[in-house]
Amino acid sequence: MKDEQLKNIWNMMNDKSGTLGSLDLRTEQFIQSSSGSVQEKIRSLLQNDLILKLISAIAFLLNVFFYLNTLQIIYVCIAGILFWTIMTTIEWKTLQGFNKIADPADPTRDNLSKMLVFLRRKANIYELTIASSQALIFIPGLLIYFFLVYGAVKPMTGESFVVFTILCLIGTIVSFFRTKSQIEFHIKHLTICLSDLNDNSLGFALETIERQRKQDHLIKSLVGLVLILGFLVFIAIYKSIVA
Amino acid sequence: MKCNIKDFDELLDQHKGIIHKVSMLYTSNREDQEDLFQDICFQICKSYNSYRNEAKLSTWLYRVALNTAITQVRKNKKKTPAETFYENIHYASSGHGKDEGQIQSMFKAIARLNRVDKALILLWLEEKTYDEIAEILGISKSNVSVKLVRIKKSLAKMINGLEQ
């Protein structure tokens, strides 16, 4: 084969613009930086909330120490610490899961679609655990305030119980909706980024979300059924004991 | 060191063919190709201020692109065997109908070359002079000449073998 033949074959190749199809470097770079910023925002939201939860744990422990002689407050603290443990474990696992899927070494479109699937699936858990921090800070914070100012907590009347519960609920609900709007903004942003990539990643991600949602629904229904059955069995046993 | 975005955009528009070809020759699948493309662009942007008009711009670009590609191949040696080159062939040659076979054979043959020989043949196919090839790869002109004779022979032999 002569030199000219080799060069002719080479020249038959797609020219400058053909080799990478419709890839636009600037679009890709923009999307890559957007993907990175979404990752960072979500990660920092979870990390900051975990720091807040750590403060709340310290506050609960301080209350145990302050109110050693007040059994009712000790019960409140134990219940609070149990609730804290559940919420923090869920949130910690969510963060771990997010760190696993948001690997900067992965291609941009993979990262985007994995994040989109993750956020759509876990958004409710994510919003609830973050919102729970409000109650977890409000209750021990208030107890510490009472101890420092009055040295004790007076027995609560029905009215003050309602007022504190309402205040606590308002904080939690506001935080829930604020986080929800943030997550929805990120989901919208990720969806736009994926559709800008002009390939089938968005369709694939949406299919995965739908499939996993169906699985989640099935699991939730089964858990609900087991709980109802368990409750009925419990009532039956209780009635037989009482009778 | 900062990269002037406007200059860089113009540079990229004019010479992206070079980066495409280098990134295609040194990778085994589209994702790696896109990653290498980005790496080369980043490297060009980073070192753009060090370009001093002593060499032709395309010569300098080839040097940066090939150095980045060869370094990446060295890093990913275990991950990306040179023989698994065939994914690129499909989209590089699509649309050429009857010539597709010849292009595929050429790609397969180039894929079997080592990373320096690959750079040499790429530059020769891109009509670079022996002086320019020597400058880009940092070897002597006589070395370029000797190596090219050997590479062209083995390439032609491989292509003929693959076409039969």
Side-chain angles (χ1 to χ4, degrees):
Chain A
M1 189 174 269
K2 287 179 183 171
D3 288 3
E4 281 311 306
Q5 279 176 292
L6 284 174
K7 285 192 177 174
N8 283 341
I9 300 172
W10 180 255
N11 290 332
M12 280 192 280
M13 253 180 58
N14 285 350
D15 63 5
K16 292 179 180 182
S17 58
T19 49
L20 271 179
S22 58
L23 176 75
D24 181 343
L25 176 75
R26 274 157 289 180
T27 310
E28 179 87 8
Q29 277 175 334
F30 171 74
I31 290 169
Q32 199 167 19
S33 67
S34 299
S35 151
S37 91
V38 171
Q39 278 174 27
E40 271 316 300
K41 278 176 190 160
I42 291 169
R43 196 175 285 139
S44 66
L45 207 67
L46 282 166
Q47 283 168 345
N48 290 343
D49 194 66
L50 280 169
I51 293 170
L52 207 64
K53 283 202 165 69
L54 186 70
I55 294 169
S56 116
I58 295 167
F60 272 120
L61 291 175
L62 274 176
N63 279 314
V64 172
F65 177 72
F66 289 156
Y67 295 99
L68 263 178
N69 299 324
T70 319
L71 204 60
Q72 280 145 328
I73 302 293
I74 297 288
Y75 287 150
V76 169
C77 289
I78 289 169
I81 288 167
L82 274 175
F83 183 62
W84 179 92
T85 310
I86 295 165
M87 289 294 132
T88 311
T89 309
I90 293 170
E91 199 167 324
W92 178 251
K93 286 203 168 179
T94 311
L95 180 64
Q96 295 295 311
F98 185 75
N99 283 338
K100 262 186 203 165
I101 60 123
D103 185 353
D106 280 348
T108 313
R109 59 174 59 78
D110 285 6
N111 255 337
L112 289 172
S113 55
K114 278 195 273 182
M115 273 198 292
L116 187 62
V117 172
F118 183 87
L119 286 181
R120 282 262 174 99
R121 276 191 76 202
K122 307 269 181 180
N124 288 339
I125 301 171
Y126 187 97
E127 288 148 13
L128 274 171
T129 51
I130 289 180
S132 70
S133 299
Q134 302 298 316
L136 287 170
I137 283 287
F138 180 77
I139 297 166
L142 207 64
L143 289 172
I144 288 177
Y145 173 77
F146 284 146
F147 180 81
L148 293 177
V149 177
Y150 305 110
V153 177
K154 286 181 183 174
M156 275 168 77
T157 60
E159 193 184 327
S160 50
F161 181 78
V162 170
V163 170
F164 286 133
T165 308
I166 287 172
L167 283 175
C168 198
L169 275 175
I170 288 172
T172 307
I173 290 166
V174 167
S175 167
F176 177 82
F177 283 106
R178 196 195 58 213
T179 316
K180 194 178 177 64
S181 70
Q182 279 178 336
I183 302 286
E184 272 168 10
F185 172 79
H186 290 316
I187 288 175
K188 207 173 165 185
H189 183 70
L190 288 173
T191 311
I192 292 167
C193 283
L194 267 175
S195 62
D196 279 349
L197 278 171
N198 293 323
D199 61 9
N200 58 359
S201 305
L202 179 60
F204 179 73
L206 293 175
E207 268 177 35
T208 314
I209 291 162
E210 197 48 42
R211 202 172 46 244
Q212 290 187 331
R213 258 192 190 165
K214 278 179 187 165
Q215 280 176 0
D216 290 348
H217 279 310
L218 185 72
I219 292 166
K220 277 177 196 166
S221 310
L222 285 172
V223 170
L225 197 70
V226 169
L227 283 175
I228 292 167
L229 281 173
F231 182 71
L232 290 174
V233 170
F234 171 76
I235 296 286
I237 293 169
Y238 181 75
K239 270 192 171 180
S240 68
I241 291 168
V242 172
Chain B
M1 203 173 285
K2 280 184 180 175
C3 170
N4 182 321
I5 297 296
K6 201 185 162 205
D7 288 351
F8 179 64
D9 269 359
E10 279 173 18
L11 183 78
L12 213 64
D13 277 343
Q14 284 167 16
H15 299 281
K16 64 180 174 190
I18 293 173
I19 310 169
H20 282 315
K21 281 175 183 166
V22 172
S23 55
M24 192 169 63
L25 280 185
Y26 282 89
T27 49
S28 58
N29 60 58
R30 192 170 170 125
E31 277 171 9
D32 286 348
Q33 186 185 343
E34 287 173 14
D35 285 346
L36 181 57
F37 185 88
Q38 304 283 340
D39 284 345
I40 294 171
C41 290
F42 176 69
Q43 202 56 42
I44 290 169
C45 185
K46 212 171 83 176
S47 49
Y48 185 56
N49 285 1
S50 67
Y51 171 62
R52 296 184 200 285
N53 291 318
E54 285 162 2
K56 268 168 71 181
L57 184 62
S58 65
T59 304
W60 177 78
L61 282 172
Y62 268 116
R63 195 190 298 150
V64 175
L66 286 168
N67 281 343
T68 311
I70 289 170
T71 310
Q72 287 293 341
V73 170
R74 202 180 291 143
K75 273 186 199 164
N76 300 330
K77 208 175 175 182
K78 283 177 189 167
K79 205 174 118 188
T80 315
E83 293 290 324
T84 56
F85 191 62
Y86 306 109
E87 271 183 69
N88 276 339
I89 297 158
H90 174 69
Y91 57 88
S93 61
S94 56
H96 287 278
K98 62 179 180 177
D99 304 320
E100 200 163 311
Q102 278 188 312
I103 297 171
Q104 282 197 3
S105 303
M106 186 165 201
F107 268 106
K108 285 178 190 174
I110 293 175
R112 290 175 188 176
L113 298 175
N114 71 43
R115 52 185 190 257
V116 179
D117 288 357
K118 222 181 258 182
L120 258 162
I121 201 72
L122 166 73
L123 294 168
W124 177 75
L125 288 166
E126 287 287 297
E127 308 284 357
K128 293 283 159 200
T129 63
Y130 282 16
D131 281 325
E132 284 174 313
I133 298 174
E135 194 187 340
I136 292 167
L137 296 178
I139 53 176
S140 69
K141 196 178 159 185
S142 58
N143 203 352
V144 171
S145 167
V146 172
K147 281 191 172 195
L148 269 177
V149 171
R150 179 179 54 77
I151 297 165
K152 279 188 278 182
K153 260 188 196 168
S154 67
L155 201 62
K157 202 175 159 186
M158 280 192 277
I159 293 172
N160 286 332
L162 286 164
E163 280 181 350
Q164 277 164 12

